[in-house]
Amino acid sequence: MMELRDLYQSLIIDHNKHPRNFYQLEDATVSARGNNPLCGDQLTLYLKIENNQIKKVSFLGVGCAISIASASLMTESLQDIKKDEALHLFHKIHTMLTQDVPHESLGKLDALAGVRAYPARVKCATLSWHTLVAALENTNQIATTE
Ligand code: ZN
């Protein structure tokens, strides 16, 4: 039987090789750029938000496998949820990646949990999520996060 860890690893490899929602959203209402100079990861996140609901989400970027896979997994989990649910999810992910405490299962996003053991890579995994918060908080502007 396939180990759970192997399954997570293959999810990350798959999402890095074939990132989901990897294009520029033409009718985005907000976007933000994220930059992780420690690793060289850069991405731009596009969101179409109507009535506080995320209708569409996409991203473009270059970076390591963890940063691309994390962004790809994130776009899948944000479709058709409310802005405050997205922020709530950010806090859960941030806790999972930075604190050594038991966390509830976040479905496919659990694939990122293994990164916690590698502090240098945590910023790679959280980059897209910080960029999400920047996009949600800076309506109609392009923000750069470090
Ligand atoms: Zn990276």
Side-chain angles (χ1 to χ4, degrees), residues 9-129:
Q9 213 152 44
S10 62
L11 250 183
I12 296 217
I13 291 166
D14 178 48
H15 276 260
N16 176 51
K17 270 192 180 161
H18 310 287
R20 316 301 197 270
N21 306 301
F22 193 75
Y23 63 95
Q24 180 172 350
L25 200 59
E26 294 298 336
D27 56 348
T29 55
V30 290
S31 71
R33 292 200 192 103
N35 181 28
N36 173 20
L38 286 176
C39 181
D41 310 316
Q42 291 182 316
L43 58 88
T44 306
L45 184 68
Y46 304 93
L47 296 167
K48 182 180 184 184
I49 298 173
E50 276 173 4
N51 301 322
N52 282 320
Q53 183 107 12
I54 297 172
K55 291 293 185 187
K56 290 186 202 164
V57 51
S58 72
F59 80 106
L60 285 175
V62 290
C64 66
I66 300 285
S67 68
I68 298 297
S70 177
S72 174
L73 285 160
M74 182 185 80
T75 61
E76 282 198 323
S77 65
L78 294 179
Q79 305 283 353
D80 262 322
I81 67 169
K82 295 215 174 289
K83 266 172 77 171
D84 55 354
E85 290 172 324
L87 289 171
H88 194 55
L89 194 54
F90 162 80
H91 288 294
K92 285 185 186 171
I93 290 286
H94 199 262
T95 301
M96 179 178 82
L97 291 174
T98 59
Q99 290 176 39
D100 192 8
V101 293
H103 62 86
E104 62 184 290
S105 172
L106 298 173
K108 277 188 190 174
L109 294 169
D110 285 348
L112 300 170
V115 172
R116 191 166 48 77
Y118 308 92
R121 311 310 302 278
V122 168
K123 279 181 192 281
C124 302
T126 57
L127 176 66
S128 54
W129 294 88

